[in-house]
Amino acid sequence: MTVKRNTWQREAVRDALDSNEGFVSAQGLHSSLRSAGSPIGLATVYRALADLAVEGEADSLQSPEGENLYRACTPGQHHHHLICRNCGLTVEIEADAVERWAQATASEHGFTQANHVVDVFGLCAACTLLAGD
Amino acid sequence: MTVKRNTWQREAVRDALDSNEGFVSAQGLHSSLRSAGSPIGLATVYRALADLAVEGEADSLQSPEGENLYRACTPGQHHHHLICRNCGLTVEIEADAVERWAQATASEHGFTQANHVVDVFGLCAACTLLAGD
DNA sequence: TATGCTGTTGATAACGAATCTCATTACAGC
DNA sequence: GCTGTAATGAGATTCGTTATCAACAGCATA
């Protein structure tokens, strides 16, 4: 039985995530930490983020460019995101209806172990005004 | 004005896409073509697929592993997919409900110009049996 | 507090997908 | 056929991510 240890590195990653508004890439988070004086290693940041995502302390999603982005979230909740494609502002949205729909659709076609990708990208109110001119 | 030329390579990629049930990666399509005797190059397959996607002759999506997957589709239709993460079998699903939900949620939070990513990954019936024991 | 076991770290190598380079090839119009 | 130029493709390159592995450090115990 493996025992998980607490290290300052994990804490640093957790803190950095918490103090961030939107989604961040592992590399971005790493360079923030480094430029803040932390000697933390890149591999460690990747590992910490992956762990946090598994434990449900962080949400992760793929950017359209293929990067994995992470964001702190309240544990234990499954939710989706409404993301401003201009400024990155993110709103957590609950979607029980979509949840049920995904499950139902999957089993309707004989699929099992279904998970789903549901994210909405748009322009937030502020960016809509700016872009509106 | 650049004139687009027809080459057997583009045709080969289009055919290979058409004769395929589900989503395929560029690399996968390339190695299929190669093992079928075609000397087509990898870069060409990438280019052809990107072109097809732009022209609306192919759907593209990101797999959870970060690969870009492609699939022939009937142009002009907006639909979502139920994809077997093992064998790539794909079922096109209509989701008016989800469509409306996405729009409603977006405008509810002041977001405009919303588009959405909705894909369901799972194991198809056949692959569920294989993976069963 | 010292000791030992073992989970964790981090520099770097390795990997894989995708793109770029550029000399060569071959389509399309004449 | 010729010619201009878009397209090709082998290989190099970029970039995000993961694997390697020796050194380190958390945590339980003596």
Side-chain angles (χ1 to χ4, degrees):
Chain A
M1 46 184 147
T2 61
V3 176
K4 174 161 292 187
R5 295 176 182 173
N6 288 328
T7 63
W8 64 265
Q9 286 95 335
R10 261 179 226 282
E11 271 307 307
V13 170
R14 200 195 313 267
D15 288 352
L17 254 199
D18 284 341
S19 63
N20 209 303
E21 279 294 302
F23 280 88
V24 216
S25 68
Q27 314 237 19
L29 219 150
H30 176 243
S31 53
S32 314
L33 286 166
R34 291 299 276 252
S35 54
S38 168
I40 194 171
L42 177 59
T44 303
V45 174
Y46 272 100
R47 280 186 287 241
L49 286 175
D51 283 354
L52 289 173
V54 167
E55 293 160 14
E57 291 194 57
D59 271 335
S60 67
L61 60 80
Q62 272 177 66
S63 78
E65 290 75 35
E67 278 181 293
N68 281 326
L69 304 181
Y70 297 87
R71 179 170 186 272
C73 78
T74 48
Q77 297 204 12
H78 179 71
H79 45 242
H80 299 287
H81 297 100
L82 177 56
I83 303 148
C84 176
R85 76 168 72 91
N86 185 238
C87 70
L89 173 73
T90 302
V91 180
E92 292 194 354
I93 49 188
E94 292 181 20
D96 291 345
V98 174
E99 226 66 39
R100 284 193 300 273
W101 167 83
Q103 285 300 326
T105 306
S107 54
E108 185 179 318
H109 289 86
F111 279 60
T112 60
Q113 299 178 35
N115 49 7
H116 52 276
V117 180
V118 174
D119 288 300
V120 183
F121 292 87
L123 286 182
C124 71
C127 290
T128 299
L129 287 178
L130 289 179
D133 57 284
Chain B
M1 47 184 147
T2 61
V3 176
K4 176 161 289 184
R5 295 176 181 174
N6 287 327
T7 62
W8 64 265
Q9 286 96 335
R10 261 179 224 281
E11 270 307 306
V13 170
R14 202 196 312 267
D15 287 352
L17 254 198
D18 285 340
S19 63
N20 208 304
E21 279 295 303
F23 279 87
V24 216
S25 68
Q27 312 241 16
L29 220 150
H30 176 242
S31 53
S32 314
L33 285 167
R34 292 299 277 252
S35 55
S38 169
I40 193 170
L42 177 60
T44 303
V45 174
Y46 273 100
R47 280 186 287 241
L49 286 175
D51 283 354
L52 288 174
V54 167
E55 294 159 15
E57 291 194 59
D59 270 336
S60 67
L61 60 81
Q62 270 178 66
S63 78
E65 290 76 36
E67 279 180 293
N68 281 328
L69 303 181
Y70 296 88
R71 180 168 186 273
C73 79
T74 47
Q77 298 205 9
H78 179 72
H79 45 242
H80 299 287
H81 298 100
L82 176 56
I83 303 144
C84 175
R85 76 169 69 91
N86 186 239
C87 70
L89 173 73
T90 301
V91 180
E92 291 194 356
I93 48 188
E94 293 181 20
D96 289 344
V98 174
E99 227 68 39
R100 283 192 301 271
W101 167 83
Q103 285 301 326
T105 306
S107 54
E108 186 180 318
H109 290 87
F111 278 60
T112 60
Q113 298 179 35
N115 50 6
H116 51 275
V117 180
V118 174
D119 288 298
V120 183
F121 292 85
L123 286 182
C124 72
C127 289
T128 300
L129 286 179
L130 290 178
D133 45 296

